[in-house]
Amino acid sequence: AVALTALALLAAAGCESNSSRQTLTSSSGSLTSTSGIVIDGLVDDWPQDVAVGSDEHYLYLRTKIEQSDAALQAADESLVIWLDVDGDASTGLAPTGARDLASMGVDLAIEFSPRSPDGPRGGVRVSTYTAGGTANEISPYDLGMHFAPTFASEWTEMRIERRGEVLASLTAAGTAAGAYALFDNAGDLIGWSDPFQIEMEAGSPPPPVMADIPDQPEGTVRVMAWNALRDAPTENPAPFARVFQAIDPDIILIQEW
């Protein structure tokens, strides 16, 4: 059995499943400070018993799936994070098949290794939901979502920008609720966690980051890496040329061209 751990307090709760018993754990609680958290897959900057939190600009989560060597976005099962951002069970999607989550109205769903009619799709799918529960798929980039690592750690950390243009409730003060759900290859719900809570003060998207390019010390080599999976360097080379000219690397490593 796959076990998913999303600890916010040390107290763990069992979970129920439609087909076989799964061990998913979660609980309520949140960070009191996120100033030291870096999204790098290392969790030594988190309090040991906490796995959700927020600050002025972001929501933070961390999780892991026991006995799984696959990255979340390339797994056999689909891991879904359901978030009731406005804390109102009467709005959004009502989770079906998970009786313990009847108190949630899902406004935002983040799905790793989502299913499609043709089988596994992989990657990440993000959907917002209207008050009536109608889904609207958006790009993870529209949400300003970052997570790490893709493979090299048993823990996955996530950060979501509080973008009001995506969901107005992302910038509001209040108590959000969330839960994790696990779906098998057939798309059947096989496990879910107890709900957790995230306390949020009024927030806003983060300001743009201006990064200066440091001087290159004499006798060193500047190496630049770029994942070009969705950037079309052959069809649209101008943005690449501008960045290369600005950074002036000695060695360029391009992945997934």
Side-chain angles (χ1 to χ4, degrees):
V2 176
L4 179 147
T5 305
L7 297 175
L9 296 173
L10 285 178
C15 111
E16 299 190 39
S17 162
N18 289 341
S19 56
S20 61
R21 187 77 172 180
Q22 299 291 320
T23 308
L24 282 73
T25 58
S26 182
S27 56
S28 60
S30 61
L31 292 165
T32 56
S33 174
T34 57
S35 59
I37 291 180
V38 177
I39 306 302
D40 56 5
L42 303 176
V43 296
D44 52 357
D45 47 5
W46 285 77
Q48 184 177 0
D49 57 350
V50 172
V52 295
S54 70
D55 61 20
E56 180 183 0
H57 300 307
Y58 303 101
L59 302 183
Y60 298 84
L61 304 98
R62 67 177 173 122
T63 189
K64 68 177 177 179
I65 298 181
E66 304 284 359
Q67 300 174 1
S68 175
D69 294 329
L72 289 185
Q73 71 275 25
D76 292 332
E77 298 85 10
S78 297
L79 173 68
V80 182
I81 305 170
W82 283 325
L83 293 174
D84 181 358
V85 183
D86 62 6
D88 186 348
S90 67
T91 63
L93 173 73
T96 58
R99 68 186 187 190
D100 300 329
L101 306 183
S103 61
M104 288 181 56
V106 177
D107 310 302
L108 179 65
I110 302 170
E111 185 175 3
F112 293 89
S113 299
R115 308 296 300 177
S116 72
D118 300 325
R121 188 173 104 171
V124 182
R125 177 166 59 200
V126 176
S127 299
T128 60
Y129 292 88
T130 65
T134 301
N136 174 40
E137 185 173 343
I138 64 172
S139 167
Y141 300 109
D142 293 335
L143 191 60
M145 178 182 174
H146 294 80
F147 68 94
T150 56
F151 194 79
S153 173
E154 62 178 2
W155 281 96
T156 298
E157 297 179 289
M158 289 163 256
R159 188 181 72 187
I160 301 167
E161 293 185 6
R162 301 182 65 180
R163 294 188 179 184
E165 68 272 20
V166 176
L167 278 176
S169 52
L170 278 172
T171 60
T175 301
Y180 293 85
L182 201 63
F183 293 82
D184 64 14
N185 287 331
D188 295 326
L189 179 65
I190 58 173
W192 60 91
S193 71
D194 286 344
F196 56 81
Q197 293 184 329
I198 306 177
E199 301 297 332
M200 301 191 303
E201 297 181 355
S204 61
V209 176
M210 301 301 293
D212 294 329
I213 300 173
D215 293 334
Q216 182 177 354
E218 185 177 353
T220 64
V221 175
R222 174 168 289 174
V223 180
M224 176 182 176
W226 192 326
N227 188 310
L229 178 60
R230 293 182 173 86
D231 291 334
T234 303
E235 295 82 359
N236 185 25
F240 282 80
R242 289 196 298 270
V243 173
F244 292 156
Q245 290 170 3
I247 296 179
D248 192 23
D250 301 300
I251 300 173
I252 301 172
L253 307 175
I254 299 181
Q255 300 92 42
E256 300 191 79
W257 187 321

